[in-house]
Amino acid sequence: MDLKTLIPQKLKEKFPAVEFEITDYKDELTFKFDKKFVVEICSFLKSDTGLEFRSCTDITAIDWATRKNRFTMVYNIFSMKHNFRLRLKADVDEADCKIDSVSSVWRAANWQERETYDMYGIKFNNHPDLRRMYMPEEFEYHPLRKDFPLMGIPGSIPLPKK
Amino acid sequence: MGLEAYIKDNGFLTTQVNAIIAWARKSSVWPMPMGISCCAIEMMAVGDPKYDIARFGSEVMRFTPRQCDLMIVAGTVTYKMAPVVRKIFDQMPEPKWVIAMGACTSSGGMYRSYSVVQGIDQFLPVDIYLAGCPPRPDNLLHALMKIQEKIGKTKASQFHDVPLKEEGIKLPELNVIQKN
């Protein structure tokens, strides 16, 4: 059976309580669901013998600035067995800026979640080592948020004295 | 051949201490290659036989700052890298000079961004700003010649005296040449 029909079928069978928003744009399949199911769904997609999404290619977020759910988490995963790519999305609101970490599913997610935390300020529950990735540790802001100015905030990163 | 053909047996030259020390300094400028990004590739090209920085006595690129007197900052300096560059600069012995190679080091270049220092003169004393993105190797050689020109005008006494006197360290007296 085609994977495009197989994956939604399997997910709906396995998680009848979860509402999936499925989009198929330019031959790329995307699933959107509530953020509290993220670890269960990810570990199912990885461990199911018919799917085997073993590679976590990328994790990032989108800042919608003025929308009600300000952030959207994006997971790009890949099944080497079937040569098939899949995108997962989950909304995160600014008031509750947290989501469960999937680093227990894919170890590659560890640093990618750290990067997302550094750039967007989304916190990851149960992450083994949630530190900043690029910016100095004492830096207070999150540069890829839409309200962060392009040239940064003057004086927020100290320079050595001349 | 050269000078020695004219100065035959027991020949001698007269000069000033300042002049000969400045001449020695400018003819053997040892660079610290602070290669941070793409400008470093052009800096490497300066060392190859086509451009050959050895013609100017600067082929000894030392990868330890304690043996260098010219820092070539070649590449984009981010805020995170700035303390490292400054620390390496501080480890170089006096007298020392700095070339800001390329647009990024001079002004931030095309990186008008929160993460890039908009010009390393915010935390380093820069002697030469070198234009280009990246500058051609002969351009870097030109900057080196400008530095040599600058060193040639210096006086030997102007560097070590001030800090040592401030710290109260007494220099050993030199037995130069006995009178007569």
Side-chain angles (χ1 to χ4, degrees):
Chain A
M1 195 195 271
D2 186 22
L3 271 173
K4 270 195 178 170
T5 47
L6 182 70
I7 297 168
Q9 197 182 320
K10 276 202 171 192
L11 280 174
K12 277 173 190 166
E13 257 174 47
K14 178 80 182 173
F15 306 100
V18 185
E19 262 185 54
F20 288 103
E21 195 183 301
I22 305 164
T23 45
D24 185 0
Y25 177 69
K26 289 205 172 178
D27 219 25
E28 290 173 6
L29 203 58
T30 305
F31 288 88
K32 199 169 180 184
F33 46 81
D34 196 287
K35 67 175 182 181
K36 61 187 170 190
F37 302 108
V38 66
V39 177
E40 288 172 56
I41 291 170
C42 286
S43 55
F44 170 73
L45 286 170
K46 189 193 177 188
S47 57
D48 188 84
T49 44
L51 304 174
E52 294 196 22
F53 284 92
R54 290 211 182 152
S55 170
C56 177
T57 326
D58 189 29
I59 294 177
T60 185
I62 306 164
D63 183 1
W64 298 107
T66 49
R67 278 197 201 173
K68 191 189 160 199
N69 286 317
R70 182 171 170 181
F71 301 104
T72 300
M73 284 297 304
V74 184
Y75 303 83
N76 289 310
I77 56 176
F78 179 58
S79 169
M80 295 207 196
K81 193 175 178 186
H82 303 289
N83 189 19
F84 192 81
R85 292 182 190 277
L86 193 63
R87 186 174 301 125
L88 311 174
K89 285 183 177 179
D91 278 339
V92 179
D93 193 30
E94 200 183 3
D96 183 29
C97 213
K98 287 171 193 162
I99 191 167
D100 289 334
S101 167
V102 293
S103 55
S104 56
V105 183
W106 298 287
R107 291 190 70 187
N110 186 325
W111 278 26
Q112 290 165 354
E113 285 181 341
R114 275 179 64 188
E115 185 188 346
T116 312
Y117 162 69
D118 190 1
M119 292 289 138
Y120 294 93
I122 298 168
K123 289 203 169 98
F124 291 89
N125 303 326
N126 307 321
H127 191 282
D129 181 28
L130 195 62
R131 282 178 297 140
R132 280 181 175 276
M133 192 85 219
Y134 302 125
M135 303 306 289
E137 277 183 34
E138 61 277 5
F139 191 64
E140 293 171 28
Y141 310 95
H142 301 288
L144 282 190
R145 285 190 174 193
K146 294 288 181 207
D147 51 6
F148 186 82
L150 174 66
M151 290 305 292
I153 286 144
S156 57
I157 315 173
L159 273 178
K161 276 178 196 162
K162 194 168 180 177
Chain B
M1 288 286 284
L3 199 59
E4 67 273 21
Y6 296 97
I7 312 166
K8 288 174 184 162
D9 308 325
N10 302 323
F12 65 92
L13 292 167
T14 53
T15 182
Q16 287 177 318
V17 174
N18 278 337
I20 200 163
I21 288 180
W23 171 79
R25 271 187 183 144
K26 79 172 191 183
S27 312
S28 62
V29 182
W30 287 17
M32 164 80 218
M34 193 72 221
I36 304 171
S37 53
C38 29
C39 277
I41 306 295
E42 300 298 305
M43 189 172 60
M44 285 174 221
V46 166
D48 74 14
K50 185 171 177 183
Y51 296 100
D52 200 8
I53 202 171
R55 295 180 292 152
F56 302 88
S58 296
E59 75 276 18
V60 261
M61 299 258 183
R62 292 284 119 143
F63 289 88
T64 155
R66 297 187 199 281
Q67 298 174 356
C68 301
D69 40 20
L70 169 68
M71 187 187 230
I72 305 173
V73 185
T76 320
V77 183
T78 57
Y79 275 94
K80 223 174 173 180
M81 194 66 191
V84 182
V85 177
R86 179 70 213 196
K87 192 170 191 175
I88 291 171
F89 177 76
D90 285 340
Q91 285 173 344
M92 286 163 58
E94 293 272 357
K96 53 192 169 186
W97 292 270
V98 176
I99 292 179
M101 182 182 177
C104 293
T105 38
S106 303
S107 68
M110 63 176 186
Y111 297 104
R112 298 260 324 141
S113 163
Y114 63 91
S115 56
V116 176
V117 182
Q118 304 292 306
I120 59 165
D121 49 4
Q122 288 179 38
F123 64 94
L124 276 185
V126 179
D127 293 287
I128 298 277
Y129 296 91
L130 181 50
C133 184
R136 286 183 54 82
D138 33 6
N139 215 343
L140 180 58
L141 288 177
H142 183 237
L144 180 67
M145 287 159 78
K146 284 281 173 195
I147 286 274
Q148 287 182 331
E149 212 173 275
K150 191 171 182 177
I151 297 172
K153 289 175 191 163
T154 55
K155 286 186 176 160
S157 56
Q158 83 190 56
F159 297 111
H160 61 254
D161 273 346
V162 181
L164 288 177
K165 268 179 192 165
E166 277 174 7
E167 287 164 26
I169 301 168
K170 206 179 171 191
L171 281 173
E173 281 182 25
L174 293 174
N175 296 318
V176 190
I177 306 163
Q178 285 182 345
K179 281 173 188 170
N180 301 326

